[in-house]
Amino acid sequence: MKMQQFLQFLTQQLTHWRRQYKGLRRKGKLMRSPKGKSHIRELLRTMFKNIFLFLSKTNDKSNRRKQERALRSKIKSVKTKSSICAVGLDWAHEQRYSVILAIALVSLTGIIGHKLYNQTQLQVGHPAPQTITAPYTDSIEDQKKTEAKRKAVSKSSLQVLMLDARMNEQINENLQQLLDDGNEIRAVAGAFPFFDPVLSISTQRYLRSCPDLEWQALLLAVENSKNQQKKGTGGTAASSRPSSIAAPNQERQPRTTPPKSDSQSPQKKEPVDFSQNTDFTQAVAELESYRLTTSEKSLSLLIAQISQTRQRYTQATAKLLQLETVGSEAVYEESLLLDLSDVEWEKTQMGIHQSTERILTQGIPQGLPKNILQDAVSLQLQTFVPESAETLAKNLLLAVLKPNLQKDEEQTRQNAQKAAAGVPPVMVKVRHGEAIVKRGEQISAWNFEVLEHYHLIRREVKWQELLKLGGVIAIAIGIFVWIERHIDYELRQRDRLLVLLLTLSVPGVIVIGLPYTTWSALGLLLGSFYGPTLGLTVVGLLWPILGISLDMSKAALLAGVGGGILGSYIAQRLRSREELALLGVAIALTQGGIYLIVKILIGQVFGSIWYIILQEAGLFALSGLGWSVVALGLSPYLEKVFDLVTPIRLAELANPNRPLLKRLATETPGTFQHTLLVATLAEAAAKELGCNVELVRAGTLYHDIGKMHDPLGFIENQMGGPNKHDTEIKDPWKSAEIIKKHVTEGLVMARKHLLPTAIQAFIPEHQGTMLIAYFHHQAQQMAQEDPSLTVDDADFRYDGPIPQSRETGIVMLADSCEAALRSLQASAKPLGEKRSLKDVSTEQALTMLNNILRAKWQENQLVDSGLTREEMSQIAQIFVDVWQQFHHKRIAYPKLKASSTGRNS
């Protein structure tokens, strides 16, 4: 009994709630109530709780009655709250456009003007309204002095130097070039010493480089010495012969006669006496000694060799003067380069390389005094270079050595930061009751720090500034609304909400503190979803607002705006994700390039921080690419959530490999062929009238998918077989219901496969509210024969709606005209043995199509589509032109006679 009473009460309450639920849902109120689900959940929880209490066999009637009263009160409160929410949401739904505009105004003002919420009344440089004293004693950091002290320590920290590899390479190249020049000059002079056995190095050096006058005198002295020796040993015959020893290519010199007195020959010049020159006398003695130890012939050969060496030496000295190597005239001197032996020169070169390597490894800093560098070079050369070559080697090194140490900016900065971090803060003690600032005095930075420390800074909301900012944003929103009403694309409330969310992302990222904001994603998504006009409008309106409201780099702002403009302008023209990815690369290059150009124009690139500017430009380029990738990743999800169609998504939906289209081609091949022909006609008309061709293509492919519920109920799928409407159904009302059902079933399939609303619209709107004339006529005939039957036109009309866009209107016309054009083609029949084509003139086809289109117009099927009466004739002509292209005349081939073999087979 108790169980029965409780269940009866529960049934009554559930019945009442179910009726209320159906009523609210039928009016469309319950689903819009954000709290409806929570109230229902609370009600169910209460009911389950009462059931549990009842099943626990509690005999206390008073407790049970309390639970019943609580349940009734809960249901009553749910009714009241749900009704209030429903009324409020109904009003919000009616005013939803104004609500979204208000939300846009408040949210944009709130985010862009975030700094105006917590502004201080007391500011640095303004007079104090009253004397303010310290509420308690405390030590406060003097940030200005602390910062100054840390800057001083940072500047005084040692610089970190690093070797410049490129400078070292340049120094080594220059040094090697100088040494190559020296080798070339020494190669012209020939090997040295040129004669090893007897003549000393000093004598050979003298004989090779002495003047021609000394050389001739030396040859004459050697020959006189030889003649005197012959006179002492021997005969007059020998003394009467001229000397056979002479310099090559020169005339023989007469013997030297004893000098005469001035009185005897005043016109003749006295010969030069070289006997006081030690090098001269040593050379004569060594040559004489060589003659005595060898023979006259050997001496003659030696003199010839010396003459050749002297010629080569002269050429080398001439080349040394003409050499045009940088610094070579100051580096190489005849006495330093050519006087070294070949062994000494090899050691000198090796020593120079070793010294250079050690000096460059130790490093040469900028601004090193010249004398210190000279001392360092001399010290190094003493170890590796022969003493006779030290001067030459020193000249060579000083000519090529340059500072090879450069400042390591990053390491120096880290050291400076570390040194600055080690500086303790400068603390100032402020006592209780001490005046921080007196009335009328200007508030200094230190006063402001103390007031901030004691939380004595009065903060307030700058309502006036917020109102000004709100006014500017309201003007921008007004411009956006005006442009929205003048573009072809009609925005829904969800579209406006998405535009707002994407717009808020730009200042939102800036408020977070990231300078690389979402301009590229904003432009790419808005341009892809709603076209270039809307995208450029949003970017163009947001640009000046952010420029005057937020503290951000103008170069960064221009770079971001440039990327957003490029994305808005080009995005909707692209037809694949790959092209959008390439657009992301173009946006990245645009942002980085604009940032760099702006910095060049203001002259910052040519300063000491040029590499930082280049780094920032690279980061802006990477940010543009990164946000473009984010936009590409979000695009499919936004398309699904906000029910958007983009050219790329339409191209994907029109892919014949989509599951729904594959089923259509397999299960209803006749309908699929009909769909392709209708798509061809509709595309041509849409292209000519400037409509959305991709939308027309995709919508047409799906407009008859509902015929898959009963393929044989439509004549194009019967393939010449019996018509089930004539053989099985034989009831025009049932046949009309089957025909009408292809619209409702098509919508069910479309929703099941999550097709966009824009595509779903083609399914009911391509039929509009037209009459199913064939079965309507059958029903009227049956009603004439049987008066008990009544014909209601509503039973034979599609439920609509009529076409609401130019695209769906074009598909309606193409769907109607395709069957008529197919009937014209079917009028060509074979006649006996001779095959002839019944000519159908263009005028006949055009007249028939104009009649069909006129009927649609007169039935008011196109009144909401946006198509004009003048465009009807244009569409008819387009359909005829396309039909002629598909069904052109063919050449009549002659009939071939069958061979005897063919007849017998």
Side-chain angles (χ1 to χ4, degrees):
M1 189 66 180
K2 295 177 182 179
M3 175 68 76
Q4 186 177 2
Q5 290 177 356
F6 177 76
L7 291 178
Q8 185 179 3
F9 165 74
L10 189 61
T11 303
Q12 292 175 356
Q13 296 300 327
L14 289 175
T15 302
H16 178 77
W17 175 81
R18 185 165 58 251
R19 289 174 181 172
Q20 184 188 17
Y21 173 80
K22 288 182 178 179
L24 291 174
R25 187 171 184 179
R26 185 167 53 253
K27 294 178 182 179
K29 299 177 180 179
L30 185 64
M31 298 307 292
R32 292 195 297 271
S33 176
K35 296 185 179 179
K37 292 184 178 179
S38 62
H39 294 328
I40 295 170
R41 193 180 300 113
E42 188 175 358
L43 175 61
L44 292 176
R45 189 183 300 112
T46 304
M47 288 191 296
F48 282 124
K49 185 177 180 180
N50 280 275
I51 293 172
F52 175 78
L53 292 173
F54 185 86
L55 294 178
S56 63
K57 297 182 179 181
T58 305
N59 295 323
D60 190 357
K61 295 183 179 180
S62 61
N63 290 338
R64 191 162 60 252
R65 290 172 183 171
K66 289 180 180 179
Q67 297 296 335
E68 292 174 0
R69 287 195 298 269
L71 180 61
R72 291 192 190 100
S73 63
K74 183 65 67 177
I75 293 173
K76 186 176 181 181
S77 66
V78 169
K79 294 181 197 175
T80 305
K81 293 179 180 178
S82 297
S83 60
I84 294 174
C85 292
V87 171
L89 287 172
D90 277 342
W91 178 86
H93 180 71
E94 293 174 359
Q95 304 294 331
R96 58 189 182 278
Y97 186 31
S98 301
V99 170
I100 289 180
L101 292 180
I103 292 173
L105 177 61
V106 172
S107 58
L108 285 170
T109 305
I111 292 179
I112 297 176
H114 70 285
K115 290 186 177 180
L116 301 175
Y117 303 148
N118 199 24
Q119 294 291 311
T120 59
Q121 289 182 345
L122 302 178
Q123 296 182 1
V124 176
H126 290 189
Q130 63 184 21
T131 300
I132 305 175
T133 59
Y136 54 88
T137 302
D138 201 356
S139 294
I140 304 173
E141 178 187 355
D142 190 336
Q143 295 182 1
K144 186 176 181 181
K145 292 183 179 179
T146 302
E147 187 65 24
K149 191 173 180 181
R150 287 174 177 172
K151 283 184 178 180
V153 172
S154 177
K155 289 181 179 180
S156 63
S157 62
L158 295 177
Q159 293 185 355
V160 179
L161 301 178
M162 63 180 179
L163 292 175
D164 188 350
R166 297 177 60 182
M167 179 57 69
N168 287 351
E169 184 179 355
Q170 181 181 354
I171 291 172
N172 286 323
E173 288 178 358
N174 294 339
L175 177 61
Q176 188 59 47
Q177 181 63 43
L178 287 178
L179 293 177
D180 290 343
D181 293 341
N183 287 325
E184 184 179 354
I185 294 171
R186 288 182 61 86
V188 173
F192 185 78
F194 57 85
F195 191 76
D196 287 339
V198 176
L199 298 180
S200 63
I201 297 296
S202 59
T203 298
Q204 292 187 49
R205 186 180 292 118
Y206 170 74
L207 291 174
R208 186 177 63 166
S209 61
C210 67
D212 287 342
L213 184 60
E214 289 190 40
W215 170 246
Q216 296 299 332
L218 188 144
L219 291 178
L220 184 59
V222 171
E223 187 168 348
N224 288 340
S225 177
K226 179 184 66 175
N227 293 336
Q228 289 177 2
Q229 186 178 4
K230 286 184 178 181
K231 288 180 181 180
T233 57
T236 59
S239 63
S240 64
R241 294 196 305 268
S243 173
S244 62
I245 299 175
N249 302 326
Q250 294 184 7
E251 295 182 358
R252 293 182 181 272
Q253 299 293 331
R255 289 184 301 171
T256 303
T257 56
K260 296 182 180 179
S261 62
D262 295 341
S263 59
Q264 292 177 347
S265 56
Q267 293 85 10
K268 291 186 179 181
K269 187 177 180 181
E270 289 288 337
V272 180
D273 184 9
F274 295 102
S275 59
Q276 301 300 324
N277 189 339
T278 54
D279 292 333
F280 179 86
T281 55
Q282 182 178 351
V284 171
E286 290 187 12
L287 289 174
E288 185 65 26
S289 174
Y290 179 76
R291 182 179 63 79
L292 294 175
T293 55
T294 56
S295 63
E296 293 289 344
K297 185 176 181 181
S298 298
L299 179 61
S300 298
L301 293 175
L302 175 59
I303 292 175
Q305 183 179 356
I306 294 172
S307 297
Q308 292 178 0
T309 300
R310 286 177 56 81
Q311 290 180 1
R312 298 185 67 176
Y313 184 86
T314 302
Q315 294 174 1
T317 54
K319 186 174 183 61
L320 184 63
L321 294 175
Q322 297 174 0
L323 195 64
E324 295 181 357
T325 304
V326 177
S328 60
E329 291 83 356
V331 172
Y332 288 120
E333 297 179 9
E334 178 184 344
S335 59
L336 298 177
L337 177 63
L338 299 179
D339 288 351
L340 295 176
S341 65
D342 291 346
V343 175
E344 290 175 332
W345 175 243
E346 289 296 329
K347 291 181 179 180
T348 301
Q349 292 186 87
M350 291 179 60
I352 289 173
H353 281 300
Q354 292 175 348
S355 301
T356 304
E357 183 178 357
R358 293 187 64 175
I359 292 173
L360 294 180
T361 302
Q362 294 173 359
I364 305 173
Q366 295 283 349
L368 184 68
K370 189 175 181 180
N371 60 332
I372 296 179
L373 180 60
Q374 291 175 351
D375 294 341
V377 169
S378 300
L379 186 62
Q380 291 291 339
L381 293 175
Q382 289 177 4
T383 307
F384 300 106
V385 175
E387 183 178 358
S388 58
E390 286 185 7
T391 303
L392 175 62
K394 184 177 179 180
N395 292 340
L396 283 170
L397 285 180
L398 292 176
V400 298
L401 288 179
K402 296 179 181 178
N404 68 331
L405 290 177
Q406 60 180 1
K407 184 180 179 181
D408 189 341
E409 298 288 348
E410 182 63 24
Q411 193 64 37
T412 302
R413 184 180 60 81
Q414 291 180 4
N415 287 354
Q417 289 179 351
K418 188 180 295 184
V423 176
V426 178
M427 306 300 293
V428 178
K429 190 172 184 180
V430 179
R431 300 185 180 277
H432 172 67
E434 181 181 346
I436 301 173
V437 61
K438 294 181 179 181
R439 181 178 180 179
E441 290 184 354
Q442 285 191 351
I443 301 174
S444 64
W446 166 245
N447 297 145
F448 191 84
E449 289 181 22
V450 177
L451 293 172
E452 183 72 20
H453 176 79
Y454 285 115
H455 303 288
L456 297 175
I457 299 296
R458 301 173 184 175
R459 297 188 178 276
E460 63 177 355
V461 177
K462 297 289 186 180
W463 293 107
Q464 187 177 1
E465 298 297 327
L466 277 176
L467 289 175
K468 289 181 181 178
L469 178 61
V472 173
I473 294 176
I475 294 173
I477 293 176
I479 295 173
F480 173 84
V481 172
W482 184 84
I483 293 176
E484 175 198 338
R485 293 179 177 177
H486 287 78
I487 61 176
D488 297 333
Y489 195 96
E490 183 177 355
L491 295 184
R492 304 161 295 175
Q493 305 308 326
R494 67 182 69 181
D495 297 324
R496 297 185 180 96
L497 181 60
L498 178 58
V499 172
L500 174 60
L501 292 176
L502 293 176
T503 305
L504 288 173
S505 68
V506 178
V509 172
I510 297 175
V511 168
I512 293 173
L514 186 64
Y516 315 109
T517 191
T518 61
W519 286 106
S520 57
L522 173 69
L524 197 149
L525 290 175
L526 288 181
S528 178
F529 294 159
Y530 306 114
T533 302
L534 201 65
L536 292 174
T537 300
V538 173
V539 174
L541 292 175
L542 195 59
W543 174 15
I545 294 175
L546 295 184
I548 63 177
S549 303
L550 297 179
D551 296 331
M552 60 182 304
S553 169
K554 303 307 178 187
L557 180 62
L558 290 174
V561 170
I565 290 174
L566 181 64
S568 301
Y569 187 72
I570 298 180
Q572 201 173 49
R573 303 182 182 184
L574 307 182
R575 296 295 181 267
S576 68
R577 308 284 180 189
E578 294 179 359
E579 292 178 346
L580 281 178
L582 292 177
L583 176 59
V585 176
I587 290 174
L589 296 176
T590 300
Q591 289 196 177
I594 291 177
Y595 184 86
L596 187 60
I597 290 172
V598 172
K599 290 296 184 180
I600 290 175
L601 292 177
I602 63 180
Q604 290 190 6
V605 176
F606 305 105
S608 59
I609 57 172
W610 60 270
Y611 59 92
I612 298 179
I613 302 299
L614 292 178
Q615 180 182 355
E616 285 292 324
L619 289 175
F620 269 96
L622 289 176
S623 70
L625 181 60
W627 285 117
S628 299
V629 172
V630 171
L632 290 176
L634 288 176
S635 179
Y637 300 102
L638 294 177
E639 291 171 3
K640 291 282 187 182
V641 172
F642 291 90
D643 191 22
L644 296 166
V645 287
T646 61
I648 294 174
R649 191 181 183 196
L650 291 173
E652 293 171 350
L653 290 172
N655 188 342
N657 291 321
R658 302 281 295 191
L660 207 55
L661 295 182
K662 290 180 72 173
R663 279 188 56 198
L664 183 67
T666 304
E667 299 176 15
T668 58
T671 299
F672 187 69
Q673 292 300 321
H674 158 75
T675 298
L676 294 179
L677 293 174
V678 173
T680 304
L681 295 174
E683 276 188 90
K687 185 176 181 181
E688 189 69 24
L689 297 180
C691 299
N692 191 333
V693 179
E694 290 83 4
L695 180 59
V696 168
R697 172 74 176 175
T700 307
L701 290 177
Y702 291 93
H703 82 285
D704 270 346
I705 57 175
K707 292 183 178 180
M708 287 189 286
H709 86 282
D710 189 3
L712 295 180
F714 302 89
I715 192 169
E716 66 264 20
N717 297 314
Q718 295 171 0
M719 303 299 179
N723 191 337
K724 64 183 293 185
H725 296 283
D726 298 333
T727 59
E728 298 178 12
I729 302 175
K730 298 180 181 180
D731 185 349
W733 282 269
K734 291 184 179 179
S735 296
E737 186 64 27
I738 292 174
I739 299 301
K740 289 172 62 176
K741 200 173 182 180
H742 91 275
V743 172
T744 56
E745 289 295 326
L747 288 173
V748 171
M749 292 181 184
R751 295 186 183 114
K752 181 180 178 181
H753 287 79
L754 302 178
L755 293 181
T757 304
I759 300 297
Q760 295 181 24
F762 284 84
I763 297 174
E765 292 179 20
H766 86 279
Q767 296 291 359
T769 57
M770 291 190 301
L771 192 69
I772 305 174
Y774 181 80
F775 295 112
H776 182 262
H777 179 68
Q778 278 190 352
Q780 285 180 333
Q781 289 181 337
M782 293 177 65
Q784 290 176 359
E785 296 174 0
D786 187 357
S788 63
L789 297 175
T790 58
V791 179
D792 186 0
D793 289 353
D795 295 335
F796 296 91
R797 282 192 182 275
Y798 290 100
D799 296 331
I802 61 175
Q804 300 296 306
S805 66
R806 291 161 61 86
E807 286 78 11
T808 55
I810 289 173
V811 174
M812 169 186 271
L813 299 178
D815 185 65
S816 301
C817 294
E818 188 273 334
L821 292 173
R822 188 156 25 96
S823 67
L824 289 178
Q825 179 63 20
S827 63
K829 301 178 180 179
L831 299 175
E833 294 292 331
K834 297 181 180 180
R835 180 176 175 83
S836 64
L837 184 66
K838 182 180 180 181
D839 293 335
V840 179
S841 66
T842 303
E843 289 75 13
Q844 290 175 326
L846 190 59
T847 300
M848 183 180 63
L849 296 190
N850 278 324
N851 291 333
I852 294 173
L853 269 59
R854 187 180 301 109
K856 301 293 182 188
W857 184 267
Q858 291 174 353
E859 291 177 7
N860 293 325
Q861 294 295 314
L862 301 170
V863 66
D864 294 336
S865 66
L867 295 174
T868 62
R869 185 66 186 88
E870 290 75 15
E871 290 174 335
M872 295 293 104
S873 301
Q874 188 178 357
I875 292 173
Q877 184 64 52
I878 295 169
F879 287 168
V880 171
D881 293 341
V882 174
W883 174 72
Q884 285 182 327
Q885 292 174 5
F886 272 87
H887 304 290
H888 56 275
K889 292 183 179 181
R890 290 180 171 84
I891 298 174
Y893 292 96
K895 187 174 181 180
L896 298 177
K897 293 183 178 181
S899 62
S900 58
T901 304
R903 288 194 298 268
N904 294 333
S905 57

